[in-house]
Amino acid sequence: MSEQRVGTDKLQELISRGPFNRWLNFTVLKSDADGIEVKATWREEWVVNPERRYTHGGILAAIVDTVADYAIAAQLGRPVPTIDVRVDFHKAAMPGDLVAKAHVVRMGSQYATAEAYVYDKDGALVASGRGTYFTAPPK
């Protein structure tokens, strides 16, 4: 499979097309041969427990899935459907922007695997995961 790396501006355009991604307010910080780095700007709606104020795990899982997907999109020039994703939660994500880093583990003509890591405003790992994605060209 030929690699046609998408630059930061084009990746930002791709990731911003989806309404859910716009709601998560992703900003692409980096896209290079090592992978991508994306910031998710904090939203009060992410809070699951008003007393403790930590981020809902579904938000963290969505960030893992999306950023892993767009690590693949950076190589293919298009996002791809998720087949399977696994997320591990390492600590509570408290209010503040999150930074996610992702890279492709394996790129195939039918399937790809990518990993993503989500860090809080202090740089602590809050979640990580690995997904499998369907890379076959659309018909």
Side-chain angles (χ1 to χ4, degrees):
M1 179 168 288
S2 65
E3 186 172 318
Q4 60 178 50
R5 174 127 323 259
V6 170
T8 304
D9 291 341
K10 178 63 176 176
L11 193 61
Q12 182 66 57
E13 180 184 313
L14 288 172
I15 204 168
S16 296
R17 286 178 26 198
F20 183 66
N21 293 347
R22 284 195 307 272
W23 182 79
L24 286 171
N25 201 7
F26 287 124
T27 303
V28 177
L29 303 174
K30 178 184 112 170
S31 175
D32 62 25
D34 295 327
I36 68 170
E37 186 172 321
V38 176
K39 179 178 78 170
T41 302
W42 169 254
R43 295 181 66 97
E44 189 65 30
E45 296 93 339
W46 295 358
V47 171
V48 67
N49 181 323
E51 291 79 36
R52 303 278 313 276
R53 300 200 26 86
Y54 54 84
T55 301
H56 190 285
I59 296 296
L60 298 175
I63 293 169
V64 165
D65 181 31
T66 304
V67 177
D69 182 357
Y70 281 86
I72 295 166
Q75 291 186 20
L76 291 181
R78 60 182 167 78
V80 291
T82 305
I83 294 172
D84 184 55
V85 67
R86 176 197 161 83
V87 177
D88 293 309
F89 303 102
H90 304 285
K91 68 175 276 190
M94 303 310 288
D97 296 348
L98 300 171
V99 172
K101 299 177 182 182
H103 67 274
V104 175
V105 174
R106 179 190 177 279
M107 179 67 78
S109 61
Q110 297 289 311
Y111 306 102
T113 301
E115 292 180 340
Y117 304 86
V118 182
Y119 302 90
D120 68 12
K121 63 182 171 44
D122 299 320
L125 181 65
V126 295
S128 62
R130 178 182 275 227
T132 303
Y133 301 85
F134 186 62
T135 57
K139 294 184 177 187

